[in-house]
Amino acid sequence: MNTMKWLLRREYWEHKGGFFWAPAIIAVVMLAVLGGTIAYGSLTHGLGTSTVIVNGHVVSQAHVISALPLHVREQIANSVANSYLAAAAPLFAVLPFVAFFYCLAALYDDRRDRSILFWKSLPVSDQETVLSKVLTALCVAPLITIAIGTATALISVLIGLMVADANGLRLFGLVLSNPEFWLAPFRLVALLPVYVLWAIPTVGWLLMVSAWARSKVFLWAVGIPLLGLMLARWINFMTSSYLDTQIDVHWIAINIVMRALAGVVPGLWLPFGQVDPHALLNSSERGVDAAGVFTQSWMTLTQPQVWIGVVVGAAMIFAAMRLRRWRDEG
């Protein structure tokens, strides 16, 4: 257990720039842009000083907004409580790139700079080394992104609520008393097992190529699936033209190519996991239902192709362990 802990720390220290600083810098930029936009709006138009004309009379906009019925404010607060984590979407968009290129270089870089000779001199097995990289890609990197993303979303929503309050729309109490507001971060963490199971094929494929390729790792990792897809399309064209039979190229693209290259994208299971889109919306179908997204995400695990991908991904991770043992000196 201590060995694995130190291996995970090593991976974090060596890739701290991608795992921590990249999302942290993006979060700071996002908050700076949000703060700058609010500051600019306040300086140019005033905060809570706008006026509107109602029945020929000039009245304060804040006064009009404060007169909104309670059920309307509750709907707005419920929408905010259900979807405020979406403010962290740019951070989760960075995660797949970080995980993809980390896995791609994880085993290749050690062989390229010959540092593998040093690491192999330590009493650490190939299985432990590869497993530490798997855990780093599947758990450590997503958890760091979730932590930074949640903090960013909380700060953003608090800033938004303060601005709304200054303009007469008082939502603090309604949002903070909404259980969905507090459950959202826990649901995000609870989705990590779903992410891990969907991402295993991609992580396994990239690590296997990283352990096998002597050079041009990116071209091998991306080129083989795409060439396979092009070959399938060509075979489909030939067989449909001369034998009146067809290959399901779309199935190959979704279940093989996509899962080999894009499984580390958070939420990929929603568009490709046979999820009912209506189940993701609230009762009025005007906003996202966080509980529905959580339930439907876990429901995707009932599909056989998910577990077939897990078995294939585990097999490729095992292959990466064996390749690291025998292919180190080049």
Side-chain angles (χ1 to χ4, degrees), residues 56-209:
H57 301 282
V58 178
V59 296
S60 168
Q61 188 179 28
H63 180 72
V64 175
I65 293 176
S66 64
L68 286 174
L70 177 60
H71 73 276
V72 174
R73 286 186 286 132
E74 286 178 341
Q75 288 178 354
I76 298 173
N78 189 55
S79 178
V80 172
N82 269 282
S83 59
Y84 74 95
L85 284 179
L91 300 179
F92 291 101
V94 173
L95 175 61
F97 293 98
V98 173
F100 185 95
F101 287 102
Y102 165 76
C103 292
L104 207 55
L107 300 174
Y108 171 72
D109 283 354
D110 285 354
R111 291 186 292 121
R112 184 184 60 178
D113 60 17
R114 314 294 289 175
S115 63
I116 191 172
L117 300 177
F118 167 74
W119 294 112
K120 281 205 166 190
S121 67
L122 301 177
V124 180
S125 67
D126 295 305
Q127 289 80 1
E128 288 176 316
T129 301
V130 174
L131 189 59
S132 71
K133 297 177 186 299
V134 173
L135 291 175
T136 301
L138 292 178
C139 297
V140 175
L143 284 174
I144 293 173
T145 302
I146 288 174
I148 297 175
T150 301
T152 305
L154 283 172
I155 295 172
S156 299
V157 76
L158 290 176
I159 293 174
L161 290 175
M162 286 191 289
V163 174
D165 190 86
N167 283 284
L169 185 59
R170 292 176 173 77
L171 296 173
F172 263 107
L174 294 173
V175 171
L176 297 181
S177 62
N178 193 317
E180 297 297 331
F181 180 80
W182 303 104
L183 285 174
F186 295 102
R187 285 202 180 107
L188 198 58
V189 175
L191 285 177
L192 183 61
V194 180
Y195 175 80
V196 168
L197 294 173
W198 275 88
I200 279 182
T202 302
V203 171
W205 166 250
L206 296 176
L207 287 177
M208 188 176 71
V209 174

Side-chain angles (χ1 to χ4, degrees), residues 248-287:
D248 193 346
V249 180
H250 180 72
W251 185 93
I252 295 174
I254 296 298
N255 291 283
I256 298 179
V257 178
M258 186 276 291
R259 296 207 64 189
L261 298 179
V264 290
V265 177
L268 193 72
W269 52 84
L270 293 177
F272 297 107
Q274 300 177 13
V275 173
D276 180 8
H278 297 289
L280 306 178
L281 302 177
N282 56 26
S283 56
S284 63
E285 297 196 347
R286 293 180 179 177

Side-chain angles (χ1 to χ4, degrees), residues 224-274:
I224 291 177
L226 294 182
L227 285 175
L229 182 61
M230 293 173 62
L231 181 62
R233 291 181 65 87
W234 178 76
I235 294 174
N236 180 59
F237 172 76
M238 298 298 289
T239 54
S240 61
S241 300
Y242 299 103
L243 301 176
D244 199 24
T245 59
Q246 290 187 340
I247 297 176
D248 193 346
V249 180
H250 180 72
W251 185 93
I252 295 174
I254 296 298
N255 291 283
I256 298 179
V257 178
M258 186 276 291
R259 296 207 64 189
L261 298 179
V264 290
V265 177
L268 193 72
W269 52 84
L270 293 177
F272 297 107
Q274 300 177 13

